[in-house]
Amino acid sequence: MTSPVPTDPETPAELVRLRASIDNIDAALVHLLAERFKCTQQVGEYKARTGMPPADPSREERQIARLRALADEAGLDPTFAEKFLNFVIAEVIHHHEAIAASD
């Protein structure tokens, strides 16, 4: 595990505490993304094995709608959530294309 980000000794304690929480959340996000990409790797391998295309626009559309709704419920800007998911989906498709090309 990585060590915490060093802080300036003059940084107020409350700010240090808040930033430590942010650092923990960032670490959790990285680990969750790694788990997600392990799953999508398996999907890409399955698609390559069965001759399915790397992208599934109808699934992507449903996922975006689902994530926008979840973001709205959570008080997160749905447009931001959609941009984030579009970035992740583009990376997944890129991986799936690479897997298909290597078969």
Side-chain angles (χ1 to χ4, degrees):
M1 182 156 241
T2 61
S3 57
V5 177
T7 60
D8 181 328
E10 295 184 22
T11 303
E14 183 178 0
L15 187 55
V16 169
R17 180 186 59 77
L18 291 168
R19 287 178 174 169
S21 292
I22 290 168
D23 293 349
N24 288 336
I25 293 166
D26 287 346
L29 286 170
V30 167
H31 287 281
L32 286 170
L33 282 170
E35 283 302 308
R36 188 185 196 286
F37 276 95
K38 287 177 189 174
C39 290
T40 60
Q41 179 79 13
Q42 292 174 18
V43 168
E45 291 165 1
Y46 175 85
K47 285 180 172 185
R49 239 184 2 260
T50 60
M52 295 175 73
D56 184 345
S58 64
R59 160 110 173 124
E60 294 154 21
E61 200 174 290
R62 290 190 308 274
Q63 283 295 91
I64 289 168
R66 180 178 152 274
L67 190 70
R68 285 185 65 92
L70 287 170
D72 191 47
E73 290 171 16
L76 179 67
D77 178 6
T79 302
F80 168 77
E82 181 174 348
K83 288 177 184 176
F84 177 76
L85 187 60
N86 279 330
F87 176 78
V88 171
I89 288 171
E91 189 65 19
V92 167
I93 291 169
H94 174 72
H95 289 187
H96 289 185
E97 289 169 343
I99 292 167
S102 70
D103 278 359

PDB file of all heavy atoms in Angstrom, residues 36-48 52-56 60 88-103:
ATOM      1  N   ARG A  36     -13.108  -3.509 -12.030  1.00  0.00           N
ATOM      2  CA  ARG A  36     -14.009  -3.379 -13.178  1.00  0.00           C
ATOM      3  C   ARG A  36     -13.287  -3.811 -14.454  1.00  0.00           C
ATOM      4  O   ARG A  36     -13.831  -4.529 -15.285  1.00  0.00           O
ATOM      5  CB  ARG A  36     -14.498  -1.929 -13.300  1.00  0.00           C
ATOM      6  CG  ARG A  36     -15.590  -1.765 -14.359  1.00  0.00           C
ATOM      7  CD  ARG A  36     -15.958  -0.298 -14.533  1.00  0.00           C
ATOM      8  NE  ARG A  36     -17.211  -0.119 -15.227  1.00  0.00           N
ATOM      9  CZ  ARG A  36     -17.373  -0.312 -16.531  1.00  0.00           C
ATOM     10  NH1 ARG A  36     -16.357  -0.711 -17.275  1.00  0.00           N
ATOM     11  NH2 ARG A  36     -18.550  -0.124 -17.089  1.00  0.00           N
ATOM     12  N   PHE A  37     -12.032  -3.365 -14.609  1.00  0.00           N
ATOM     13  CA  PHE A  37     -11.290  -3.710 -15.818  1.00  0.00           C
ATOM     14  C   PHE A  37     -10.921  -5.194 -15.868  1.00  0.00           C
ATOM     15  O   PHE A  37     -10.815  -5.761 -16.953  1.00  0.00           O
ATOM     16  CB  PHE A  37     -10.075  -2.800 -16.014  1.00  0.00           C
ATOM     17  CG  PHE A  37     -10.436  -1.504 -16.685  1.00  0.00           C
ATOM     18  CD1 PHE A  37     -10.707  -0.370 -15.943  1.00  0.00           C
ATOM     19  CD2 PHE A  37     -10.555  -1.429 -18.059  1.00  0.00           C
ATOM     20  CE1 PHE A  37     -11.074   0.819 -16.552  1.00  0.00           C
ATOM     21  CE2 PHE A  37     -10.926  -0.256 -18.696  1.00  0.00           C
ATOM     22  CZ  PHE A  37     -11.182   0.880 -17.931  1.00  0.00           C
ATOM     23  N   LYS A  38     -10.776  -5.830 -14.729  1.00  0.00           N
ATOM     24  CA  LYS A  38     -10.578  -7.289 -14.739  1.00  0.00           C
ATOM     25  C   LYS A  38     -11.810  -7.973 -15.313  1.00  0.00           C
ATOM     26  O   LYS A  38     -11.697  -8.920 -16.103  1.00  0.00           O
ATOM     27  CB  LYS A  38     -10.296  -7.814 -13.324  1.00  0.00           C
ATOM     28  CG  LYS A  38      -8.925  -7.470 -12.803  1.00  0.00           C
ATOM     29  CD  LYS A  38      -8.748  -7.954 -11.373  1.00  0.00           C
ATOM     30  CE  LYS A  38      -7.472  -7.428 -10.761  1.00  0.00           C
ATOM     31  NZ  LYS A  38      -7.357  -7.765  -9.330  1.00  0.00           N
ATOM     32  N   CYS A  39     -12.982  -7.500 -14.924  1.00  0.00           N
ATOM     33  CA  CYS A  39     -14.230  -8.080 -15.443  1.00  0.00           C
ATOM     34  C   CYS A  39     -14.392  -7.790 -16.934  1.00  0.00           C
ATOM     35  O   CYS A  39     -14.762  -8.686 -17.705  1.00  0.00           O
ATOM     36  CB  CYS A  39     -15.438  -7.529 -14.680  1.00  0.00           C
ATOM     37  SG  CYS A  39     -15.558  -8.101 -12.982  1.00  0.00           S
ATOM     38  N   THR A  40     -14.121  -6.544 -17.335  1.00  0.00           N
ATOM     39  CA  THR A  40     -14.291  -6.220 -18.751  1.00  0.00           C
ATOM     40  C   THR A  40     -13.261  -6.930 -19.611  1.00  0.00           C
ATOM     41  O   THR A  40     -13.521  -7.206 -20.785  1.00  0.00           O
ATOM     42  CB  THR A  40     -14.253  -4.693 -18.996  1.00  0.00           C
ATOM     43  OG1 THR A  40     -12.994  -4.171 -18.572  1.00  0.00           O
ATOM     44  CG2 THR A  40     -15.392  -3.985 -18.282  1.00  0.00           C
ATOM     45  N   GLN A  41     -12.113  -7.250 -19.046  1.00  0.00           N
ATOM     46  CA  GLN A  41     -11.113  -8.049 -19.762  1.00  0.00           C
ATOM     47  C   GLN A  41     -11.708  -9.417 -20.103  1.00  0.00           C
ATOM     48  O   GLN A  41     -11.566  -9.911 -21.225  1.00  0.00           O
ATOM     49  CB  GLN A  41      -9.854  -8.199 -18.897  1.00  0.00           C
ATOM     50  CG  GLN A  41      -8.761  -9.029 -19.529  1.00  0.00           C
ATOM     51  CD  GLN A  41      -7.958  -8.261 -20.561  1.00  0.00           C
ATOM     52  OE1 GLN A  41      -8.043  -7.040 -20.656  1.00  0.00           O
ATOM     53  NE2 GLN A  41      -7.173  -8.976 -21.332  1.00  0.00           N
ATOM     54  N   GLN A  42     -12.380 -10.014 -19.138  1.00  0.00           N
ATOM     55  CA  GLN A  42     -13.016 -11.316 -19.367  1.00  0.00           C
ATOM     56  C   GLN A  42     -14.127 -11.206 -20.412  1.00  0.00           C
ATOM     57  O   GLN A  42     -14.292 -12.098 -21.241  1.00  0.00           O
ATOM     58  CB  GLN A  42     -13.559 -11.876 -18.055  1.00  0.00           C
ATOM     59  CG  GLN A  42     -12.472 -12.260 -17.081  1.00  0.00           C
ATOM     60  CD  GLN A  42     -13.026 -12.680 -15.729  1.00  0.00           C
ATOM     61  OE1 GLN A  42     -14.197 -12.994 -15.586  1.00  0.00           O
ATOM     62  NE2 GLN A  42     -12.163 -12.675 -14.724  1.00  0.00           N
ATOM     63  N   VAL A  43     -14.863 -10.103 -20.378  1.00  0.00           N
ATOM     64  CA  VAL A  43     -15.898  -9.879 -21.389  1.00  0.00           C
ATOM     65  C   VAL A  43     -15.247  -9.787 -22.768  1.00  0.00           C
ATOM     66  O   VAL A  43     -15.730 -10.392 -23.742  1.00  0.00           O
ATOM     67  CB  VAL A  43     -16.723  -8.601 -21.082  1.00  0.00           C
ATOM     68  CG1 VAL A  43     -17.600  -8.208 -22.266  1.00  0.00           C
ATOM     69  CG2 VAL A  43     -17.568  -8.791 -19.834  1.00  0.00           C
ATOM     70  N   GLY A  44     -14.147  -9.043 -22.864  1.00  0.00           N
ATOM     71  CA  GLY A  44     -13.444  -8.907 -24.147  1.00  0.00           C
ATOM     72  C   GLY A  44     -12.941 -10.238 -24.667  1.00  0.00           C
ATOM     73  O   GLY A  44     -13.031 -10.524 -25.869  1.00  0.00           O
ATOM     74  N   GLU A  45     -12.435 -11.074 -23.774  1.00  0.00           N
ATOM     75  CA  GLU A  45     -11.972 -12.405 -24.179  1.00  0.00           C
ATOM     76  C   GLU A  45     -13.141 -13.255 -24.661  1.00  0.00           C
ATOM     77  O   GLU A  45     -13.029 -13.965 -25.667  1.00  0.00           O
ATOM     78  CB  GLU A  45     -11.237 -13.073 -23.019  1.00  0.00           C
ATOM     79  CG  GLU A  45      -9.907 -12.413 -22.707  1.00  0.00           C
ATOM     80  CD  GLU A  45      -9.327 -12.803 -21.355  1.00  0.00           C
ATOM     81  OE1 GLU A  45      -9.942 -13.613 -20.633  1.00  0.00           O
ATOM     82  OE2 GLU A  45      -8.238 -12.274 -21.021  1.00  0.00           O
ATOM     83  N   TYR A  46     -14.264 -13.175 -23.962  1.00  0.00           N
ATOM     84  CA  TYR A  46     -15.457 -13.923 -24.370  1.00  0.00           C
ATOM     85  C   TYR A  46     -15.931 -13.455 -25.745  1.00  0.00           C
ATOM     86  O   TYR A  46     -16.220 -14.266 -26.626  1.00  0.00           O
ATOM     87  CB  TYR A  46     -16.579 -13.753 -23.339  1.00  0.00           C
ATOM     88  CG  TYR A  46     -17.863 -14.412 -23.763  1.00  0.00           C
ATOM     89  CD1 TYR A  46     -18.074 -15.763 -23.510  1.00  0.00           C
ATOM     90  CD2 TYR A  46     -18.845 -13.707 -24.443  1.00  0.00           C
ATOM     91  CE1 TYR A  46     -19.244 -16.385 -23.926  1.00  0.00           C
ATOM     92  CE2 TYR A  46     -20.007 -14.312 -24.856  1.00  0.00           C
ATOM     93  CZ  TYR A  46     -20.206 -15.654 -24.599  1.00  0.00           C
ATOM     94  OH  TYR A  46     -21.363 -16.267 -25.013  1.00  0.00           O
ATOM     95  N   LYS A  47     -16.011 -12.140 -25.926  1.00  0.00           N
ATOM     96  CA  LYS A  47     -16.454 -11.595 -27.210  1.00  0.00           C
ATOM     97  C   LYS A  47     -15.529 -12.032 -28.346  1.00  0.00           C
ATOM     98  O   LYS A  47     -15.989 -12.394 -29.422  1.00  0.00           O
ATOM     99  CB  LYS A  47     -16.524 -10.060 -27.149  1.00  0.00           C
ATOM    100  CG  LYS A  47     -17.706  -9.539 -26.372  1.00  0.00           C
ATOM    101  CD  LYS A  47     -17.681  -8.002 -26.380  1.00  0.00           C
ATOM    102  CE  LYS A  47     -18.921  -7.418 -25.788  1.00  0.00           C
ATOM    103  NZ  LYS A  47     -18.931  -5.939 -25.907  1.00  0.00           N
ATOM    104  N   ALA A  48     -14.225 -12.001 -28.112  1.00  0.00           N
ATOM    105  CA  ALA A  48     -13.263 -12.403 -29.145  1.00  0.00           C
ATOM    106  C   ALA A  48     -13.435 -13.879 -29.486  1.00  0.00           C
ATOM    107  O   ALA A  48     -13.419 -14.259 -30.658  1.00  0.00           O
ATOM    108  CB  ALA A  48     -11.841 -12.119 -28.682  1.00  0.00           C
ATOM    109  N   MET A  52     -18.064 -11.891 -31.271  1.00  0.00           N
ATOM    110  CA  MET A  52     -18.916 -10.727 -31.046  1.00  0.00           C
ATOM    111  C   MET A  52     -18.103  -9.450 -31.250  1.00  0.00           C
ATOM    112  O   MET A  52     -16.895  -9.438 -31.038  1.00  0.00           O
ATOM    113  CB  MET A  52     -19.490 -10.762 -29.622  1.00  0.00           C
ATOM    114  CG  MET A  52     -20.415 -11.925 -29.369  1.00  0.00           C
ATOM    115  SD  MET A  52     -20.957 -11.992 -27.633  1.00  0.00           S
ATOM    116  CE  MET A  52     -22.092 -10.612 -27.613  1.00  0.00           C
ATOM    117  N   PRO A  53     -18.765  -8.365 -31.646  1.00  0.00           N
ATOM    118  CA  PRO A  53     -18.039  -7.103 -31.832  1.00  0.00           C
ATOM    119  C   PRO A  53     -17.575  -6.529 -30.489  1.00  0.00           C
ATOM    120  O   PRO A  53     -18.212  -6.766 -29.451  1.00  0.00           O
ATOM    121  CB  PRO A  53     -19.072  -6.183 -32.494  1.00  0.00           C
ATOM    122  CG  PRO A  53     -20.400  -6.766 -32.160  1.00  0.00           C
ATOM    123  CD  PRO A  53     -20.181  -8.256 -31.981  1.00  0.00           C
ATOM    124  N   PRO A  54     -16.480  -5.769 -30.495  1.00  0.00           N
ATOM    125  CA  PRO A  54     -15.954  -5.202 -29.251  1.00  0.00           C
ATOM    126  C   PRO A  54     -16.919  -4.235 -28.559  1.00  0.00           C
ATOM    127  O   PRO A  54     -16.962  -4.162 -27.346  1.00  0.00           O
ATOM    128  CB  PRO A  54     -14.694  -4.458 -29.686  1.00  0.00           C
ATOM    129  CG  PRO A  54     -14.314  -5.072 -30.983  1.00  0.00           C
ATOM    130  CD  PRO A  54     -15.599  -5.517 -31.627  1.00  0.00           C
ATOM    131  N   ALA A  55     -17.700  -3.502 -29.334  1.00  0.00           N
ATOM    132  CA  ALA A  55     -18.630  -2.515 -28.768  1.00  0.00           C
ATOM    133  C   ALA A  55     -20.057  -3.043 -28.819  1.00  0.00           C
ATOM    134  O   ALA A  55     -20.413  -3.832 -29.689  1.00  0.00           O
ATOM    135  CB  ALA A  55     -18.535  -1.207 -29.535  1.00  0.00           C
ATOM    136  N   ASP A  56     -20.862  -2.592 -27.870  1.00  0.00           N
ATOM    137  CA  ASP A  56     -22.286  -2.935 -27.814  1.00  0.00           C
ATOM    138  C   ASP A  56     -23.046  -1.642 -27.514  1.00  0.00           C
ATOM    139  O   ASP A  56     -23.354  -1.334 -26.362  1.00  0.00           O
ATOM    140  CB  ASP A  56     -22.534  -3.982 -26.719  1.00  0.00           C
ATOM    141  CG  ASP A  56     -23.970  -4.468 -26.652  1.00  0.00           C
ATOM    142  OD1 ASP A  56     -24.855  -3.810 -27.250  1.00  0.00           O
ATOM    143  OD2 ASP A  56     -24.206  -5.487 -25.993  1.00  0.00           O
ATOM    144  N   GLU A  60     -24.252   0.067 -23.952  1.00  0.00           N
ATOM    145  CA  GLU A  60     -23.606   1.294 -23.499  1.00  0.00           C
ATOM    146  C   GLU A  60     -24.641   2.378 -23.217  1.00  0.00           C
ATOM    147  O   GLU A  60     -24.560   3.080 -22.200  1.00  0.00           O
ATOM    148  CB  GLU A  60     -22.588   1.758 -24.543  1.00  0.00           C
ATOM    149  CG  GLU A  60     -21.417   0.798 -24.682  1.00  0.00           C
ATOM    150  CD  GLU A  60     -20.745   0.838 -26.042  1.00  0.00           C
ATOM    151  OE1 GLU A  60     -20.891   1.851 -26.759  1.00  0.00           O
ATOM    152  OE2 GLU A  60     -20.082  -0.152 -26.397  1.00  0.00           O
ATOM    153  N   VAL A  88     -14.533   5.657 -19.586  1.00  0.00           N
ATOM    154  CA  VAL A  88     -14.277   4.264 -19.206  1.00  0.00           C
ATOM    155  C   VAL A  88     -14.692   3.332 -20.341  1.00  0.00           C
ATOM    156  O   VAL A  88     -13.949   2.408 -20.701  1.00  0.00           O
ATOM    157  CB  VAL A  88     -15.001   3.905 -17.890  1.00  0.00           C
ATOM    158  CG1 VAL A  88     -14.928   2.409 -17.605  1.00  0.00           C
ATOM    159  CG2 VAL A  88     -14.418   4.704 -16.729  1.00  0.00           C
ATOM    160  N   ILE A  89     -15.869   3.555 -20.921  1.00  0.00           N
ATOM    161  CA  ILE A  89     -16.358   2.705 -22.013  1.00  0.00           C
ATOM    162  C   ILE A  89     -15.397   2.754 -23.199  1.00  0.00           C
ATOM    163  O   ILE A  89     -15.080   1.716 -23.795  1.00  0.00           O
ATOM    164  CB  ILE A  89     -17.785   3.124 -22.437  1.00  0.00           C
ATOM    165  CG1 ILE A  89     -18.794   2.722 -21.355  1.00  0.00           C
ATOM    166  CG2 ILE A  89     -18.154   2.513 -23.791  1.00  0.00           C
ATOM    167  CD1 ILE A  89     -20.199   3.283 -21.578  1.00  0.00           C
ATOM    168  N   ALA A  90     -14.915   3.939 -23.540  1.00  0.00           N
ATOM    169  CA  ALA A  90     -13.977   4.058 -24.664  1.00  0.00           C
ATOM    170  C   ALA A  90     -12.714   3.238 -24.400  1.00  0.00           C
ATOM    171  O   ALA A  90     -12.199   2.567 -25.307  1.00  0.00           O
ATOM    172  CB  ALA A  90     -13.621   5.527 -24.901  1.00  0.00           C
ATOM    173  N   GLU A  91     -12.236   3.258 -23.176  1.00  0.00           N
ATOM    174  CA  GLU A  91     -11.040   2.482 -22.828  1.00  0.00           C
ATOM    175  C   GLU A  91     -11.331   0.983 -22.898  1.00  0.00           C
ATOM    176  O   GLU A  91     -10.517   0.204 -23.393  1.00  0.00           O
ATOM    177  CB  GLU A  91     -10.548   2.882 -21.430  1.00  0.00           C
ATOM    178  CG  GLU A  91      -9.207   2.304 -21.081  1.00  0.00           C
ATOM    179  CD  GLU A  91      -8.063   2.819 -21.946  1.00  0.00           C
ATOM    180  OE1 GLU A  91      -8.172   3.873 -22.597  1.00  0.00           O
ATOM    181  OE2 GLU A  91      -7.028   2.134 -21.984  1.00  0.00           O
ATOM    182  N   VAL A  92     -12.495   0.576 -22.431  1.00  0.00           N
ATOM    183  CA  VAL A  92     -12.894  -0.839 -22.482  1.00  0.00           C
ATOM    184  C   VAL A  92     -12.970  -1.308 -23.935  1.00  0.00           C
ATOM    185  O   VAL A  92     -12.451  -2.373 -24.288  1.00  0.00           O
ATOM    186  CB  VAL A  92     -14.234  -1.066 -21.754  1.00  0.00           C
ATOM    187  CG1 VAL A  92     -14.806  -2.448 -22.064  1.00  0.00           C
ATOM    188  CG2 VAL A  92     -14.062  -0.880 -20.253  1.00  0.00           C
ATOM    189  N   ILE A  93     -13.600  -0.523 -24.791  1.00  0.00           N
ATOM    190  CA  ILE A  93     -13.718  -0.885 -26.207  1.00  0.00           C
ATOM    191  C   ILE A  93     -12.328  -1.002 -26.828  1.00  0.00           C
ATOM    192  O   ILE A  93     -12.055  -1.938 -27.595  1.00  0.00           O
ATOM    193  CB  ILE A  93     -14.604   0.129 -26.967  1.00  0.00           C
ATOM    194  CG1 ILE A  93     -16.058  -0.007 -26.504  1.00  0.00           C
ATOM    195  CG2 ILE A  93     -14.499  -0.086 -28.484  1.00  0.00           C
ATOM    196  CD1 ILE A  93     -16.963   1.108 -26.996  1.00  0.00           C
ATOM    197  N   HIS A  94     -11.447  -0.068 -26.491  1.00  0.00           N
ATOM    198  CA  HIS A  94     -10.061  -0.133 -26.991  1.00  0.00           C
ATOM    199  C   HIS A  94      -9.414  -1.457 -26.573  1.00  0.00           C
ATOM    200  O   HIS A  94      -8.772  -2.129 -27.386  1.00  0.00           O
ATOM    201  CB  HIS A  94      -9.269   1.061 -26.463  1.00  0.00           C
ATOM    202  CG  HIS A  94      -7.824   1.030 -26.790  1.00  0.00           C
ATOM    203  ND1 HIS A  94      -7.331   1.249 -28.063  1.00  0.00           N
ATOM    204  CD2 HIS A  94      -6.744   0.786 -26.004  1.00  0.00           C
ATOM    205  CE1 HIS A  94      -6.025   1.145 -28.045  1.00  0.00           C
ATOM    206  NE2 HIS A  94      -5.634   0.866 -26.813  1.00  0.00           N
ATOM    207  N   HIS A  95      -9.601  -1.851 -25.317  1.00  0.00           N
ATOM    208  CA  HIS A  95      -9.051  -3.133 -24.840  1.00  0.00           C
ATOM    209  C   HIS A  95      -9.679  -4.301 -25.595  1.00  0.00           C
ATOM    210  O   HIS A  95      -8.981  -5.236 -25.985  1.00  0.00           O
ATOM    211  CB  HIS A  95      -9.300  -3.305 -23.346  1.00  0.00           C
ATOM    212  CG  HIS A  95      -8.483  -2.399 -22.485  1.00  0.00           C
ATOM    213  ND1 HIS A  95      -8.469  -2.514 -21.121  1.00  0.00           N
ATOM    214  CD2 HIS A  95      -7.645  -1.379 -22.782  1.00  0.00           C
ATOM    215  CE1 HIS A  95      -7.664  -1.597 -20.619  1.00  0.00           C
ATOM    216  NE2 HIS A  95      -7.152  -0.897 -21.603  1.00  0.00           N
ATOM    217  N   HIS A  96     -10.999  -4.246 -25.800  1.00  0.00           N
ATOM    218  CA  HIS A  96     -11.681  -5.333 -26.503  1.00  0.00           C
ATOM    219  C   HIS A  96     -11.195  -5.446 -27.958  1.00  0.00           C
ATOM    220  O   HIS A  96     -11.019  -6.558 -28.468  1.00  0.00           O
ATOM    221  CB  HIS A  96     -13.187  -5.136 -26.466  1.00  0.00           C
ATOM    222  CG  HIS A  96     -13.792  -5.356 -25.119  1.00  0.00           C
ATOM    223  ND1 HIS A  96     -15.145  -5.322 -24.901  1.00  0.00           N
ATOM    224  CD2 HIS A  96     -13.238  -5.612 -23.917  1.00  0.00           C
ATOM    225  CE1 HIS A  96     -15.387  -5.554 -23.627  1.00  0.00           C
ATOM    226  NE2 HIS A  96     -14.238  -5.727 -23.003  1.00  0.00           N
ATOM    227  N   GLU A  97     -10.958  -4.313 -28.585  1.00  0.00           N
ATOM    228  CA  GLU A  97     -10.432  -4.339 -29.955  1.00  0.00           C
ATOM    229  C   GLU A  97      -9.041  -4.957 -29.982  1.00  0.00           C
ATOM    230  O   GLU A  97      -8.730  -5.742 -30.885  1.00  0.00           O
ATOM    231  CB  GLU A  97     -10.403  -2.909 -30.527  1.00  0.00           C
ATOM    232  CG  GLU A  97     -11.772  -2.356 -30.818  1.00  0.00           C
ATOM    233  CD  GLU A  97     -11.776  -0.860 -31.126  1.00  0.00           C
ATOM    234  OE1 GLU A  97     -10.781  -0.169 -30.818  1.00  0.00           O
ATOM    235  OE2 GLU A  97     -12.795  -0.391 -31.675  1.00  0.00           O
ATOM    236  N   ALA A  98      -8.222  -4.631 -29.003  1.00  0.00           N
ATOM    237  CA  ALA A  98      -6.864  -5.203 -28.933  1.00  0.00           C
ATOM    238  C   ALA A  98      -6.925  -6.704 -28.711  1.00  0.00           C
ATOM    239  O   ALA A  98      -6.165  -7.471 -29.314  1.00  0.00           O
ATOM    240  CB  ALA A  98      -6.070  -4.516 -27.820  1.00  0.00           C
ATOM    241  N   ILE A  99      -7.843  -7.162 -27.865  1.00  0.00           N
ATOM    242  CA  ILE A  99      -8.000  -8.593 -27.610  1.00  0.00           C
ATOM    243  C   ILE A  99      -8.436  -9.298 -28.890  1.00  0.00           C
ATOM    244  O   ILE A  99      -7.891 -10.338 -29.257  1.00  0.00           O
ATOM    245  CB  ILE A  99      -9.003  -8.843 -26.466  1.00  0.00           C
ATOM    246  CG1 ILE A  99      -8.430  -8.358 -25.137  1.00  0.00           C
ATOM    247  CG2 ILE A  99      -9.375 -10.332 -26.386  1.00  0.00           C
ATOM    248  CD1 ILE A  99      -9.474  -8.274 -24.015  1.00  0.00           C
ATOM    249  N   ALA A 100      -9.422  -8.717 -29.587  1.00  0.00           N
ATOM    250  CA  ALA A 100      -9.928  -9.323 -30.817  1.00  0.00           C
ATOM    251  C   ALA A 100      -8.836  -9.377 -31.881  1.00  0.00           C
ATOM    252  O   ALA A 100      -8.726 -10.372 -32.612  1.00  0.00           O
ATOM    253  CB  ALA A 100     -11.134  -8.529 -31.338  1.00  0.00           C
ATOM    254  N   ALA A 101      -8.004  -8.358 -31.951  1.00  0.00           N
ATOM    255  CA  ALA A 101      -6.929  -8.317 -32.948  1.00  0.00           C
ATOM    256  C   ALA A 101      -5.826  -9.342 -32.645  1.00  0.00           C
ATOM    257  O   ALA A 101      -5.146  -9.801 -33.556  1.00  0.00           O
ATOM    258  CB  ALA A 101      -6.328  -6.926 -33.016  1.00  0.00           C
ATOM    259  N   SER A 102      -5.694  -9.705 -31.389  1.00  0.00           N
ATOM    260  CA  SER A 102      -4.632 -10.649 -31.026  1.00  0.00           C
ATOM    261  C   SER A 102      -5.037 -12.106 -31.220  1.00  0.00           C
ATOM    262  O   SER A 102      -4.203 -12.990 -31.130  1.00  0.00           O
ATOM    263  CB  SER A 102      -4.175 -10.413 -29.583  1.00  0.00           C
ATOM    264  OG  SER A 102      -5.194 -10.804 -28.683  1.00  0.00           O
ATOM    265  N   ASP A 103      -6.322 -12.345 -31.432  1.00  0.00           N
ATOM    266  CA  ASP A 103      -6.786 -13.734 -31.653  1.00  0.00           C
ATOM    267  C   ASP A 103      -6.559 -14.215 -33.062  1.00  0.00           C
ATOM    268  O   ASP A 103      -6.527 -13.585 -34.002  1.00  0.00           O
ATOM    269  CB  ASP A 103      -8.267 -13.866 -31.309  1.00  0.00           C
ATOM    270  CG  ASP A 103      -8.472 -14.038 -29.805  1.00  0.00           C
ATOM    271  OD1 ASP A 103      -7.469 -14.061 -29.070  1.00  0.00           O
ATOM    272  OD2 ASP A 103      -9.635 -14.146 -29.393  1.00  0.00           O
TER     273      ASP A 103
END
